[in-house]
Amino acid sequence: MSNHSVTIKDIARILGISKSTVSRALSEHTDVNAKTREKVLALATKLRYQPNSIALHLKQQRTNTIGVIIPETVNTFFSGAVSGIQKIATLAGFQVVVCQSNECYTTEKDNLHSLIATRVDGLLISVSRETENTDHFDTLLQNNIPVVFFDRICEKLDTSQVFTDNYQIAFEATQHLIDQGCRRIATIAGPSHLYTSCKRFEGYKDALMKNNIEFNPDYLIYADFKQESIERFTRRLINLKESPDAIFAINDMTAIEMMHVIKKNGLRIPQDIAVLGFNNDKIGQFVEPSLTTIDMPAQDMGEAAAELLLFHIKNPNQRPEKRLINSRLIVRDSTRLRP
Amino acid sequence: MSNHSVTIKDIARILGISKSTVSRALSEHTDVNAKTREKVLALATKLRYQPNSIALHLKQQRTNTIGVIIPETVNTFFSGAVSGIQKIATLAGFQVVVCQSNECYTTEKDNLHSLIATRVDGLLISVSRETENTDHFDTLLQNNIPVVFFDRICEKLDTSQVFTDNYQIAFEATQHLIDQGCRRIATIAGPSHLYTSCKRFEGYKDALMKNNIEFNPDYLIYADFKQESIERFTRRLINLKESPDAIFAINDMTAIEMMHVIKKNGLRIPQDIAVLGFNNDKIGQFVEPSLTTIDMPAQDMGEAAAELLLFHIKNPNQRPEKRLINSRLIVRDSTRLRP
DNA sequence: GTGAAAGCGCTAACAA
DNA sequence: TTGTTAGCGCTTTCAC
């Protein structure tokens, strides 16, 4: 039985004035007799009056809440992004409801519908690995619900988006490997319908092409991370007749696990195989050799996405915006072959 | 301009019946003429009617939302716990609002107040590292707002709590080090007002005592993780006249960083110094040597805490419950000295 | 400067 | 079975 919370009605009754006067006194806006206001304010604090936000929401038809759909929290990139989102949201007096799709298309749909049902004022979305069809997002556009996609965006949709230069940085990373003397560069690719995977793969291929290195399909691993273990496909790579001299992995955890397998098999890093990660997890500095990686500005992306969303919430009929956030290559020992 | 959403009023008007009949038809509960219901349902789906949950909340004085306050998301333990919470909440039709205290006392207070202000139906809390004074939580008890503390609990408060056997597992881990032949066991302790730190330290000390090993204050490091770097205090340990032969670290990240420093200084693990972590982060398997650690059932704790909270939300005047979830020691190479 | 009344969308007690 | 009415807590227009 929650403490029978005090309402403006109670205050009005006790003070012998009307609800509306109390409301006005509390809202500080309209003119109301200084003495009346004082009395109201005094009683309000005495009674620990707390405005009922639900009633406000109903009145204003807004919830001061933004919904977030991400693949999974237990991924430092996304938890970093969420931190950025929360920071901006809190500053603006908004709550944040976070849902995880667990990389699953149907869960993502469910998340979306439940967030819409609870009437969030806007959404921040990074799509799941499984999401090919994006029809479920049409509701947002149709109903004019503000939405900003970030990182794993949907290019086709005419909404605001915040993303990194996946193509550019993958190109740069591949070029770095080539500059170190690597020629047989393996990579792990996510599903081609996923924005980030697709762009990164293009950057990788174009870097090869620019350096007149033929793309070898044997060096491409499709990671669905479901059945096949990282150990298994790392072994497969190592055992190729012409085994790769570098691996451009999809994230740091995968890179580190691969390094582990490579070392177990008696190969040296980077001399026999150079390894390059993605994400700049803190741990990359402490493994041996330290891991070359790409720093993803997770927090910045979250902040940018949240700012953009708040802008759209406050200014309903603005055109969508695209915001690019730069990532950067961090070279460490796992790829250092030349001085 | 959000799409002028349809209400029961619209349906009623179009069908020429009353709002209440529409409400009843939709709620499937009370008896209403089969044909009327059909018509209502048909029109509702045609118009894509979505009940306005805000109105419902106002009516029912509940929000179907639970608030969560954790130190930080970018910590695999807490993000794991949040996953467990979300799983249970979703199943029960509840939303989850997560706030981070960033290990900061005042932020925790702010989080608490903003969650109370938005009228969450209950709270799940793991206190910040800075939180010594717990008076701010009294509001919850006074206003009868259901709350469950988890992991970093407040023992004094008469509320439900979910925790692991910190004392027991620290004892066991220390005993394991002793069984490996270690005698000079260093440890890193968090603030003594923090439940987990305190219990773990007691377990550590009691294990020493039971084995007639005197506790050496030189081997105790107070980690506030603010000014002093892990590198610096690892060095300090190594350079002691009688340097430790084992370190029981506070979490896996710290353990791994310390391992890095130890190896850089030419010492072998575990021969010169054994290292034991806490958390069972995935990465522990892939570092060299692989890291002995303690598996914390993060997801399980989150689930248990959420279940308990939902129970209290549904059954207002039940007594608080304490729930213990077991953790377990995972022995790997970083402490393996004897067969 | 203040009060009365309507209304946000919904449910539920009471009448018919 | 259905309609009327009141009310959840708040803001806001319109009188006075």
Side-chain angles (χ1 to χ4, degrees), chain B residues 50-311:
Chain B
Q50 278 219 324
N52 183 321
S53 59
I54 311 175
L56 260 184
H57 294 162
L58 179 60
K59 182 79 192 164
Q60 300 168 169
Q61 299 288 59
R62 318 196 292 102
T63 51
N64 271 297
T65 302
I66 65 187
V68 179
I69 303 177
I70 52 172
E72 45 187 9
T73 341
V74 200
N75 172 319
T76 51
F77 173 76
F78 291 113
S79 57
V82 168
S83 289
I85 292 168
Q86 284 174 330
K87 183 178 153 197
I88 299 302
T90 306
L91 248 40
F94 276 66
Q95 298 279 6
V96 180
V97 176
V98 180
C99 295
Q100 302 186 61
S101 65
N102 295 315
E103 301 286 15
C104 165
Y105 170 66
T106 44
T107 307
E108 179 177 284
K109 268 187 9 189
D110 291 345
N111 290 339
L112 181 71
H113 293 140
S114 91
L115 287 174
I116 293 178
T118 52
R119 301 287 216 266
V120 293
D121 293 335
L123 283 125
L124 256 21
I125 302 176
S126 203
V127 304
S128 92
R129 164 178 296 271
E130 280 183 14
T131 303
E132 269 188 270
N133 183 324
T134 60
D135 291 351
H136 51 309
F137 297 128
D138 290 344
T139 340
L140 298 173
L141 303 181
Q142 283 159 15
N143 292 12
N144 245 309
I145 299 173
V147 59
V148 176
F149 286 86
F150 69 98
D151 191 51
R152 299 200 194 159
I153 63 178
C154 292
E155 274 188 297
K156 312 161 219 163
L157 296 179
D158 185 31
T159 68
S160 279
Q161 317 196 310
V162 173
F163 49 92
T164 58
D165 49 348
N166 289 276
Y167 173 89
Q168 187 53 42
I169 199 71
F171 188 102
E172 200 178 308
T174 310
Q175 184 65 55
H176 161 74
L177 290 169
I178 296 169
D179 291 345
Q180 300 299 304
C182 301
R183 284 294 173 276
R184 305 185 305 281
I185 303 174
T187 195
I188 304 177
S192 60
H193 57 262
L194 203 60
Y195 175 79
T196 48
S197 312
C198 161
K199 292 295 173 189
R200 290 176 196 174
F201 183 58
E202 283 176 13
Y204 158 84
K205 269 217 307 211
D206 285 2
L208 293 186
M209 199 187 306
K210 193 192 153 204
N211 291 269
N212 298 313
I213 301 176
E214 205 179 340
F215 166 66
N216 180 345
D218 282 348
Y219 295 162
L220 174 62
I221 288 186
Y222 281 106
D224 64 355
F225 292 102
K226 272 188 193 146
Q227 302 306 328
E228 197 169 17
S229 75
I230 295 177
E231 166 137 22
R232 188 131 46 104
F233 61 62
T234 307
R235 281 238 185 77
R236 203 202 305 154
L237 281 179
I238 294 176
N239 294 330
L240 286 173
K241 287 182 302 273
E242 280 216 304
S243 69
D245 54 13
I247 298 178
F248 182 9
I250 205 163
N251 61 46
D252 284 358
M253 272 309 299
T254 306
I256 291 171
E257 194 167 343
M258 294 180 92
M259 280 170 58
H260 183 67
V261 178
I262 292 168
K263 287 194 281 187
K264 255 196 346 199
N265 280 267
L267 297 172
R268 294 161 308 160
I269 302 169
Q271 295 87 341
D272 298 319
I273 303 187
V275 177
L276 205 155
F278 218 119
N279 246 1
N280 194 20
D281 285 345
K282 196 178 161 202
I283 191 72
Q285 310 163 55
F286 305 121
V287 292
E288 270 134 55
S290 58
L291 181 65
T292 294
T293 188
I294 286 154
D295 183 49
M296 296 280 287
Q299 174 119 5
D300 293 346
M301 287 188 80
E303 291 182 16
E307 277 163 3
L308 201 46
L309 181 63
L310 289 173
F311 171 78

Side-chain angles (χ1 to χ4, degrees), chain B residues 15-35:
Chain B
L15 255 35
I17 59 181
S18 80
K19 282 193 313 179
S20 18
T21 306
V22 176
S23 171
R24 280 188 281 252
L26 255 20
S27 67
E28 315 258 331
H29 260 305
T30 17
D31 13 34
V32 43
N33 184 305
K35 277 195 182 161

Side-chain angles (χ1 to χ4, degrees), chain A residues 18 20-21 24 31-33 36 59 61:
Chain A
S18 78
S20 13
T21 305
R24 279 189 280 251
D31 14 32
V32 43
N33 184 303
T36 322
K59 184 75 190 167
Q61 298 288 60

Side-chain angles (χ1 to χ4, degrees), chain A residues 5-58:
Chain A
S5 54
V6 294
T7 69
I8 49 169
K9 204 167 139 190
D10 299 319
I11 298 184
R13 190 172 25 76
I14 297 175
L15 255 34
I17 57 181
S18 78
K19 280 194 314 178
S20 13
T21 305
V22 176
S23 170
R24 279 189 280 251
L26 255 20
S27 66
E28 315 257 332
H29 261 305
T30 17
D31 14 32
V32 43
N33 184 303
K35 277 195 181 161
T36 322
R37 160 160 300 151
E38 255 176 56
K39 279 197 294 185
V40 171
L41 258 34
L43 188 58
T45 47
K46 183 177 160 214
L47 262 40
R48 292 166 195 264
Y49 166 76
Q50 279 220 321
N52 184 322
S53 58
I54 311 174
L56 260 187
H57 294 163
L58 179 59

Side-chain angles (χ1 to χ4, degrees), chain A residues 48-185:
Chain A
R48 292 166 195 264
Y49 166 76
Q50 279 220 321
N52 184 322
S53 58
I54 311 174
L56 260 187
H57 294 163
L58 179 59
K59 184 75 190 167
Q60 301 169 170
Q61 298 288 60
R62 319 194 295 102
T63 52
N64 270 295
T65 301
I66 65 186
V68 179
I69 304 178
I70 52 171
E72 44 187 8
T73 339
V74 199
N75 174 319
T76 51
F77 173 76
F78 291 113
S79 56
V82 168
S83 288
I85 293 168
Q86 285 175 330
K87 183 178 152 199
I88 300 302
T90 306
L91 248 39
F94 276 66
Q95 298 278 5
V96 180
V97 176
V98 180
C99 296
Q100 302 186 59
S101 64
N102 295 316
E103 300 286 15
C104 166
Y105 170 67
T106 44
T107 307
E108 178 176 284
K109 268 188 6 188
D110 291 346
N111 289 339
L112 181 70
H113 293 141
S114 91
L115 287 174
I116 293 178
T118 53
R119 300 284 213 268
V120 293
D121 293 334
L123 283 125
L124 255 22
I125 303 175
S126 202
V127 305
S128 92
R129 165 177 296 273
E130 280 183 14
T131 304
E132 270 188 90
N133 182 324
T134 60
D135 291 351
H136 52 308
F137 297 128
D138 290 344
T139 340
L140 298 173
L141 302 182
Q142 284 159 16
N143 293 11
N144 245 307
I145 299 172
V147 59
V148 176
F149 286 87
F150 68 99
D151 191 51
R152 299 199 195 161
I153 63 179
C154 293
E155 275 188 296
K156 310 161 221 165
L157 296 180
D158 185 31
T159 68
S160 279
Q161 318 196 310
V162 174
F163 49 92
T164 59
D165 48 346
N166 289 277
Y167 172 89
Q168 187 52 40
I169 199 71
F171 188 102
E172 199 177 312
T174 310
Q175 184 65 54
H176 162 75
L177 290 170
I178 295 170
D179 291 345
Q180 300 299 303
C182 301
R183 284 295 173 275
R184 304 185 306 281
I185 303 173

